[in-house]
């Protein structure tokens, strides 16, 4: 992910880079599962975000903060100033970045949190420690290639037998994310709180280390030569 130079070489950069690798792996594994399985979220669904706000680790909040400061700077600034306008009419009920009117719904999609990347296309582990997967209750099960009329909990062997693939396991990605900052592994905050802290932290670094010029900032005018005294 592209980030401001002011975090280069800092612990924040380590966390953001570490999470970037985890997000990349999730995407890769999910792409394989999506290709193999007949289950796909319906276009424009987003029901999992309606009454939900993620509790996030510091690393997830920093990742989103870095992404917003690069791609949605005025929204990020409004967020810490308390002037952010959520696109949803009921901001107390769920994630502030959910836009019910937008067909894609998530307005910070590329910077979204870990759990947001896991909805729908990840499984868990049963008591035997083996991967298993159950379709989300909003996922259509009458898809081509799937004759089930039930909504079963598929066990590992059945997943391999039917689809020849396994979805990624949620706990595996979560453990990797926790291992990025073991000292604060148990510290999670609602996204709206964690994000304010994360954006402020990066803004403070900007102030200490000096922000690099914005990509579209015009170069300053050359200094005019002093007029010669006559
Ligand atoms: S960040 Fe995006 S995907 Fe995650 S809960 Fe909010 S709207 Fe949904
Ligand atoms: S995971 Fe379920 S609720 Fe979320 S978009 Fe997919 S089908 Fe809809």
């Amino acid at each position: 992910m592209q980030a401001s130079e002011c975090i280069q070489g800092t612990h924040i950069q380590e966390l953001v880079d570490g999470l970037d690798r985890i997000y990349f792996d999730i995407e890769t594994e999910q792409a394989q599962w999506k290709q193999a399985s007949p289950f796909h979220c319906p276009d424009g669904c987003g029901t999992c975000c309606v009454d939900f706000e993620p509790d996030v680790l510091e690393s997830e909040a920093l990742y989103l903060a870095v992404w917003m400061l690069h791609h949605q700077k005025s929204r990020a600034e409004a967020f810490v100033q308390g002037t952010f306008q959520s696109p949803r009419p009921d901001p107390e009920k769920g994630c502030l970045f959910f836009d019910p009117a937008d067909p894609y719904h998530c307005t910070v999609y590329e910077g979204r949190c870990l759990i947001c990347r896991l909805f729908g296309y990840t499984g868990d582990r049963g008591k035997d420690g083996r991967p298993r997967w159950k379709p989300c209750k909003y996922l259509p099960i009458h898809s081509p290639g799937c004759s089930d009329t039930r909504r079963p909990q598929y066990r590992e062997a059945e997943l391999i037998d039917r689809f020849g693939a396994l979805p990624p396991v949620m706990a595996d990605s979560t453990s990797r994310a926790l291992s990025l900052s073991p000292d604060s592994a148990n510290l999670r905050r609602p996204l709206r709180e964690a994000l304010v802290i994360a954006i402020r932290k990066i803004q403070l670094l900007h102030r200490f280390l000096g922000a690099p010029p914005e990509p579209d900032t015009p170069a300053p005018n050359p200094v005019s030569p002093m007029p010669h005294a006559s």
Side-chain angles (χ1 to χ4, degrees):
M1 183 176 58
Q2 208 161 9
S4 156
E5 281 171 20
C6 83
I7 67 164
Q8 299 296 333
T10 65
H11 182 54
I12 293 178
Q13 180 77 57
E14 274 174 36
L15 291 177
V16 169
D17 286 349
L19 209 49
D20 206 39
R21 285 191 290 275
I22 296 170
Y23 289 169
F24 177 82
D25 291 344
I26 291 171
E27 211 168 297
T28 307
E29 289 168 29
Q30 285 183 341
Q32 289 161 1
W33 167 245
K34 285 179 195 173
Q35 201 174 17
S37 93
F39 304 106
H40 298 103
C41 298
D43 287 345
C45 175
T47 308
C48 42
C49 301
V50 174
D51 294 323
F52 173 75
E53 175 172 15
D55 281 340
V56 299
L57 298 168
E58 185 190 26
S59 54
E60 297 172 76
L62 286 167
Y63 190 97
L64 178 55
V66 166
W67 184 86
M68 284 186 78
L69 285 164
H70 196 79
H71 297 279
Q72 299 182 356
K73 195 163 183 229
S74 52
R75 277 185 115 200
E77 287 169 351
F79 211 85
V80 290
Q81 286 158 6
T83 55
F84 178 80
Q85 292 286 321
S86 172
R88 61 185 299 159
D90 51 358
E92 69 291 348
K93 285 198 175 162
C95 180
L96 295 174
F97 297 114
F98 178 75
D99 183 350
D102 184 311
Y104 299 104
H105 300 306
C106 180
T107 56
V108 292
Y109 189 76
E110 289 169 19
R112 71 199 187 285
C113 320
L114 177 61
I115 187 69
C116 313
R117 295 166 192 261
L118 300 174
F119 284 142
Y121 295 108
T122 39
D124 65 355
R125 290 185 189 279
K127 284 185 184 155
D128 57 0
R130 310 306 307 172
R132 58 185 193 172
W133 182 76
K134 188 176 168 81
C136 156
K137 64 179 175 180
Y138 299 104
L139 203 65
I141 53 172
H142 306 292
S143 319
C146 178
S147 55
D148 263 328
T149 52
R150 316 161 291 148
R151 197 173 288 276
Q153 176 82 260
Y154 291 101
R155 296 167 72 87
E156 183 183 33
E158 200 177 0
L159 288 167
I160 294 193
D161 187 43
R162 281 172 171 253
F163 313 120
L166 293 172
V169 174
M170 190 175 285
D172 296 350
S173 306
T174 309
S175 306
R176 283 181 67 193
L178 289 173
S179 72
L180 294 174
S181 48
D183 295 347
S184 57
N186 294 319
L187 185 59
R188 288 179 183 274
R189 289 190 172 90
L191 178 58
R192 67 186 75 194
E193 290 176 28
L195 188 58
V196 170
I197 298 169
I199 295 172
R200 283 201 180 125
K201 210 172 215 182
I202 297 167
Q203 286 178 326
L204 201 65
L205 266 182
H206 270 260
R207 278 200 286 279
F208 268 125
L209 304 175
E214 296 292 325
D216 52 358
T217 304
N221 286 330
V223 178
S224 309
M226 291 288 286
H228 290 291
S230 51

